[in-house]
Amino acid sequence: MAHFAKPENALKRADELINVGQKQDALQALHDLITSKRYRAWQKPLEKIMFKYLDLCVDLKRGRFAKDGLIQYRIVCQQVNVSSLEEVIKHFLHLSTEKAEQARSQADALEEALDVDDLEADRKPEDLQLSIVSGEKGKDRSDRELVTPWFKFLWETYRTVLEILRNNSKLEALYAMTAHKAFQFCKQYKRTTEFRRLCEIIRNHLANLNKYRDQRDRPDLSAPESLQLYLDTRFDQLKVATELGLWQEAFRSVEDIYGLMCMVKKTPKSSLLMVYYSKLTEIFWISSSPMYHAYAWLKLFSLQKNFNKNLSQKDLQLIATSVVLAALSVPPFDRSQSASHMELEHEKERNLRMANLIGFNLEPKSEGRDMLSRSALLSELVSRGVLSCASQEVKDLFHVLEHEFHPLDLGSKIQPLLEKISKSGGKLSSAPSLPEVELSQYVPSLEKLATLRLLQQVSKIYQTIRIESLSQLVPFFEFSVVEKISVDAVKNNFVAMKVDHMKGVVIFGNLGIESDGLKDHLAIFAESLNKVRAMLFPVPSKASKLGGIVPNLADTVEKEHKRLLARKSIIEKRKEDQERQQLEMEREEEQKRLKLQRLTEEAEQKRLAAELLERRKQRILREIEEKELEEAQALLEDTEKRMKKGKKKTLLDGEKVTKKTVMEMALTEQLKERQEMEKKLQKLARTMDYLERAKREEAAPLIEAAYQRRLVEEREFYEREQQREVELSRERHESDLKEKNRLSRMLEFKETFQGEVTSRRQAEFDRIRTEREERISQIIRARKQERDIKRKQMYFLTIEEERTRKLHEEEEARKLEEAEKRKKAEAEHKAKMDEIAEKQRQRERELEEKAKKSREELLKGTDAPPARPAESAAAPPAVAPAASGAGKYVPRFKRQTSEASSPAAPTPAAESDRWGNRGPPPAADDHWGSNRGPSQKPDRWTSGRERAGPPPAEGGDRWVPGPRGSDRPSGGGDAWRSGEERRSPFGSSKPRPAQR
């Protein structure tokens, strides 16, 4: 196997081998390159290599090489460049078709050249013997050898391309085109065997598409484009099958189309449906199924009437006539009456299958479906108006055959109508998809129907008729044909008749004359006996006679009635019990059956699973064996190609071919070939050495003489060329001097013109340069102004931002300072309040100690003088009742007397302020006139603390001021002035809130 650095090198090598006539080696070199794993990335040179490779495959008729190369190229460019694969396949098809056409054109007689039943079959032994025995090959055999191989290769090409393109969504159009070309090939050359194989191949491709749904590039049949391509392929298959006369394959194609529609759940276009039903009419007529044929015509009529807008009235009448005649051609009797049970089941399945195909139902349901019948078909023709669209002759024929009763002149009335019908028909101008309508094909069926109707009607008016008279009534057939028709009618219970040839008569009877009478003969015998008894013992008509014969009839009837009622109730109870027992038994049986069914299903599932595993194992083993066999076969073919023709060792038919055997044989043959080749090469090298030496010895003097002659010739040629070059140079110099002298006269004008042009261009340049400089200076000034403006704006923005930032910082600092001051003031205020509270508590403790001491002194009672304070202490309560009245006036002298009676006494300890706290009276030197004498009146603007005296319950009016001149501890001023003592004017220990 040769290795190439670039694919182009392989192409060049192949061209070189082709030029020297070694096409097989060139093909092998390209095959090695294509199948190599080094070139799995698509490149443009690979396409050219594939073109050359396929050219060689076609020239050498190597279909297997072509298939391998196309498969490898598909792997390379499937995901990168599918169009390249499409072009390569088109080129391959074009080459194969062209070669086949050339071979066909070279043959004189195409039909004789193609007289082969099977293109894939090998030549028969007798053909080989004939070709060996006969010395001169005849023209037929030469044509066969010339044309048949190319047609075999073309058929193999179609199969290869279809196999490569199968189930590929990116190459669906090319697949459909290839299938169409293959169909046309089979149609053109009447290849029926290949057409069957082609249909089977396409059918298998679709089955694999449905089976393996997880493929990478699987076509989607639900897409409209893919579905249309698949449908077009199937309809081409159907058309070609009908044209080739392969009606069984055509019916399978119809089933393929119906299965495809059921698969995608979509209805095709009306034009395709028309082709579908037109082909169905042909298939059913060929298969002698007149009922299905008539139903297909009915569907076709409905489609043409509803969807064909260009349908003319004449064509519509012709189609309606075909529908009515097809319906009348259906036999008027049911053939299933005399059939067995198995035949009936098969007939039922066949009817259901045909009904699905004709009705084109995508979801068939067998339950509740009306089977196809002649009566239903005729009623549908009338209800849909098909009969009204038919021609007048067909209408008359329909009425005569189905509704009228003319037993004696039925044949004479129908015969002219049938003659007119047989002459009508033709091609439909507005419906090209339909075949040519031939009404004459229905005439034999109609004649048979007319004969059956005539026999049926004659049997109703005659019991016996002569054969000659019956033959005269039936002008269509001889009596032998009528007898065959009557046998079929009697077999299907359409008419009851016997033919007596000895007497020359036909005897008509009742349909139940034999078989039906034997079925119910006992019932007939009982009815006859009953009639005899009624005749012998008639029933009396008068009640008096009956009463005389049967006495006490009413009582007897009443008793019998009661007995029957009782018996009826007993029977009903027994029936109910029996039904209940039956239900219980059925329920138990059903449970047993379900249990048995479940066990059976489980066993069946296990068996199926085991069978599936076994089948998988067998399939894997079979695939391995097939793969080994294929590899062995390939090695065997490769070995046979490399071996010499005279030394081929063919295996016997019964010999088992294995890979190991073939490899051993191949190695042995290769070793032998290598040894033989080495011997040949040694011998050839020795021979070539002798020849080359002799050749060189003889050629040496000749080469020397030729060299000397060549030297002389070259020297003479050089001298001639040198002399010619000198002469040419001298002539060119002289002509140049002449030209210079001629042009020297215009030198002054040239310089003048040049100066003018130069000065003008210089002035223009200076002007443009000045304008440009001015424009540039203006642009520079404008840009400088813009920069200054921007700089100032930036400066102002910077200053403003700085000022805003400073203001913000100052505001933040001020807020922080105020917060600190507030915290400091709060702390100082809290400290002062704590200090005042501490002093107040100290003072209260001192007052409590003083009060305690005073109480102790009062309680001792040792001497009189100390009793005055007790009196003075008891005096205020005496005043309290007087002052307890709200708003009562207290004289001033009394208040002074009470105050002066105990000048040194402290404030009573038992007196409390309005908040319940005890404390000393207010100081005498307060701010609101405590230095005034006793004769002064109280000020109305006295402090609220003074006016808020002790509550009335404590011994005094709330408006009476406290004692002013009493002794008090030297505190040094009022609490409102100093701010050190903040307590109640009535001695409350609770501090007052700070002044706002």
Side-chain angles (χ1 to χ4, degrees), residues 567-592:
R567 185 172 179 272
K568 181 179 180 183
S569 61
I570 293 170
I571 291 172
E572 288 178 355
K573 289 181 181 179
R574 290 179 179 176
K575 284 184 178 179
E576 290 176 359
D577 296 337
Q578 188 177 2
E579 289 176 358
R580 191 179 302 108
Q581 293 176 2
Q582 186 71 21
L583 289 174
E584 292 292 336
M585 293 175 62
E586 288 180 357
R587 190 179 298 109
E588 292 177 0
E589 290 178 358
E590 183 67 19
Q591 291 177 357
K592 292 180 181 178

Side-chain angles (χ1 to χ4, degrees), residues 879-891:
V879 180
S884 61
K888 189 172 182 180
Y889 177 70
V890 180

Side-chain angles (χ1 to χ4, degrees), residues 872-885 888 890-891 894-895 897-899 952 954-957 960:
S872 63
V879 180
S884 61
K888 189 172 182 180
V890 180
K894 290 183 177 182
R895 288 181 292 179
T897 303
S898 63
E899 291 175 0
E954 299 294 331
D957 190 7
V960 179

Side-chain angles (χ1 to χ4, degrees), residues 236-249:
D236 288 342
Q237 175 181 335
L238 177 59
K239 292 178 183 177
V240 175
T242 54
E243 291 176 2
L244 291 176
L246 302 175
W247 300 107
Q248 187 175 2
E249 197 63 41

Side-chain angles (χ1 to χ4, degrees), residues 481-514:
V481 180
V482 175
E483 190 174 2
K484 292 180 181 179
I485 295 173
S486 64
V487 169
D488 197 8
V490 171
K491 180 181 178 181
N492 292 281
N493 294 331
F494 182 73
V495 66
M497 58 179 292
K498 294 180 180 180
V499 180
D500 191 349
H501 289 281
M502 294 180 65
K503 297 180 180 179
V505 295
V506 176
I507 302 170
F508 295 101
N510 201 353
L511 288 175
I513 192 168
E514 292 180 359

Side-chain angles (χ1 to χ4, degrees), residues 267-274 277 299-311 316 430-431:
T267 305
K269 298 178 181 178
S270 58
S271 58
L272 295 179
L273 282 179
M274 293 177 188
Y277 283 114
K299 287 287 185 179
L300 189 58
F301 172 80
S302 301
L303 287 173
Q304 289 288 342
K305 187 177 181 181
N306 296 330
F307 296 101
N308 192 354
K309 298 180 180 179
N310 300 324
L311 188 65
L316 180 64
S430 58

Side-chain angles (χ1 to χ4, degrees), residues 459-710:
S459 66
K460 293 180 181 180
I461 62 174
Y462 289 106
Q463 288 186 351
T464 305
I465 188 173
R466 296 184 65 82
I467 294 177
E468 294 81 3
S469 302
L470 186 60
S471 300
Q472 293 177 2
L473 294 177
V474 183
F476 319 115
F477 306 113
E478 298 290 336
F479 184 73
S480 58
V481 180
V482 175
E483 190 174 2
K484 292 180 181 179
I485 295 173
S486 64
V487 169
D488 197 8
V490 171
K491 180 181 178 181
N492 292 281
N493 294 331
F494 182 73
V495 66
M497 58 179 292
K498 294 180 180 180
V499 180
D500 191 349
H501 289 281
M502 294 180 65
K503 297 180 180 179
V505 295
V506 176
I507 302 170
F508 295 101
N510 201 353
L511 288 175
I513 192 168
E514 292 180 359
S515 59
D516 292 342
L518 292 174
K519 290 179 182 178
D520 52 357
H521 62 283
L522 293 176
I524 296 171
F525 180 67
E527 290 178 359
S528 302
L529 289 178
N530 194 13
K531 291 179 181 179
V532 171
R533 184 187 61 80
M535 293 174 65
L536 294 176
F537 306 101
V539 179
S541 60
K542 294 182 180 181
S544 60
K545 292 181 180 180
L546 182 62
I549 296 172
V550 184
N552 300 325
L553 180 60
D555 297 336
T556 305
V557 170
E558 184 68 22
K559 291 178 182 180
E560 188 69 22
H561 180 64
K562 290 179 180 180
R563 189 182 65 80
L564 290 176
L565 289 177
R567 185 172 179 272
K568 181 179 180 183
S569 61
I570 293 170
I571 291 172
E572 288 178 355
K573 289 181 181 179
R574 290 179 179 176
K575 284 184 178 179
E576 290 176 359
D577 296 337
Q578 188 177 2
E579 289 176 358
R580 191 179 302 108
Q581 293 176 2
Q582 186 71 21
L583 289 174
E584 292 292 336
M585 293 175 62
E586 288 180 357
R587 190 179 298 109
E588 292 177 0
E589 290 178 358
E590 183 67 19
Q591 291 177 357
K592 292 180 181 178
R593 188 185 62 79
L594 291 176
K595 185 177 180 179
L596 181 61
Q597 183 179 359
R598 185 166 59 253
L599 294 175
T600 307
E601 289 178 355
E602 292 177 357
E604 183 68 18
Q605 289 178 358
K606 292 180 181 179
R607 186 185 64 80
L608 291 176
E611 288 182 356
L612 181 61
L613 291 175
E614 185 65 24
R615 284 199 300 271
R616 286 181 179 176
K617 291 180 181 179
Q618 292 179 0
R619 180 175 58 81
I620 292 171
L621 294 175
R622 188 168 58 254
E623 289 178 356
I624 293 172
E625 291 178 358
E626 291 177 355
K627 188 175 181 180
E628 291 182 353
L629 184 61
E630 289 178 358
E631 293 177 356
Q633 191 68 26
L635 288 174
L636 183 62
E637 292 179 359
D638 193 10
T639 305
E640 289 178 355
K641 290 176 184 176
R642 294 181 180 181
M643 291 169 60
K644 291 184 178 180
K645 293 183 179 180
K647 295 184 179 182
K648 282 188 179 180
K649 182 182 179 182
T650 58
L651 297 175
L652 299 177
D653 295 338
E655 185 177 354
K656 185 176 181 181
V657 180
T658 60
K659 186 178 180 181
K660 184 177 179 181
T661 306
V662 176
M663 289 182 67
E664 291 177 356
M665 186 178 67
L667 289 175
T668 305
E669 294 299 331
Q670 287 179 3
L671 184 60
K672 291 181 180 179
E673 288 182 1
R674 191 179 296 112
Q675 293 174 357
E676 292 178 359
M677 186 61 68
E678 288 177 358
K679 292 180 181 178
K680 288 182 180 180
L681 288 176
Q682 290 177 1
K683 184 177 180 180
L684 182 63
R686 189 166 50 253
T687 306
M688 292 296 293
D689 189 17
Y690 293 156
L691 290 175
E692 188 67 22
R693 188 182 297 113
K695 216 169 34 170
R696 291 186 180 183
E697 289 177 356
E698 292 295 330
L702 299 176
I703 291 172
E704 182 65 25
Y707 176 70
Q708 296 297 331
R709 288 196 303 272
R710 185 67 179 271

Side-chain angles (χ1 to χ4, degrees), residues 205-215 218 619:
H205 289 174
L206 183 60
N208 292 332
L209 177 65
N210 295 325
K211 184 177 180 181
Y212 305 105
R213 296 180 177 272
D214 54 348
Q215 291 180 352
R218 177 181 176 274
R619 180 175 58 81

